[in-house]
Amino acid sequence: QVEFVESGGGLVQAGDSLTLSCTASGRTFSFYTMGYFRQAPGKEREFVAAVSRINSTGVGDSVKGRFSISREIGANTVRLRMNSLMPEDTGVYYCASDASRVVTPTWSADYWGQGTQVVVSS
């Protein structure tokens, strides 16, 4: 029902910045809220950030102050700006979405992209 085109991953050094982009297509209500989760090897999936079509946003505690998410009003593309990257930010970043109108601290998604790899070297 929802397809994602994800881009922007790669290999960077600690302290660098990187921007991930994700564009969704399909049933519009299915990506009312869009965001990112990440998963590092051997660790559980972790919420990173999300934003809804009415600009309700949320950012995970581990990236607060370093990462930000943006979305053009009414658009189906989100961008995750990652600053001051650290080796512990390494992982697969998954674009995700659901029909929520607002982002809550316990936001979880119904639709998932295939993920893009981010590797931060020390």
Side-chain angles (χ1 to χ4, degrees):
Q1 291 183 340
V2 181
E3 293 187 355
F4 299 97
V5 177
E6 300 173 80
S7 63
L11 172 64
V12 296
Q13 293 185 335
D16 286 352
S17 297
L18 197 63
T19 299
L20 305 183
S21 295
C22 175
T23 299
S25 62
R27 294 185 175 183
T28 302
F29 71 89
S30 298
F31 44 87
Y32 198 91
T33 289
M34 295 177 64
Y36 284 90
F37 289 79
R38 70 184 182 185
Q39 188 165 21
K43 294 189 176 181
E44 293 186 353
R45 188 173 59 202
E46 176 187 27
F47 170 69
V48 178
V51 57
S52 76
R53 287 174 68 91
I54 58 172
N55 214 29
S56 168
T57 60
V59 180
D61 289 340
S62 63
V63 302
K64 201 163 290 184
R66 299 187 298 121
F67 290 14
S68 62
I69 193 165
S70 63
R71 181 176 188 174
E72 296 179 8
I73 299 300
N76 59 348
T77 297
V78 294
R79 291 180 177 82
L80 180 69
R81 176 66 175 178
M82 305 184 290
N83 296 323
S84 302
L85 283 161
M86 303 183 293
E88 47 264 50
D89 294 317
T90 294
V92 179
Y93 284 69
Y94 295 93
C95 184
S97 75
D98 77 350
S100 301
R101 290 185 60 83
V102 296
V103 179
T104 67
T106 57
W107 181 69
S108 62
D110 293 328
Y111 304 97
W112 297 86
Q114 293 191 341
T116 185
Q117 180 76 49
V118 173
V119 177
V120 184
S121 63
S122 58

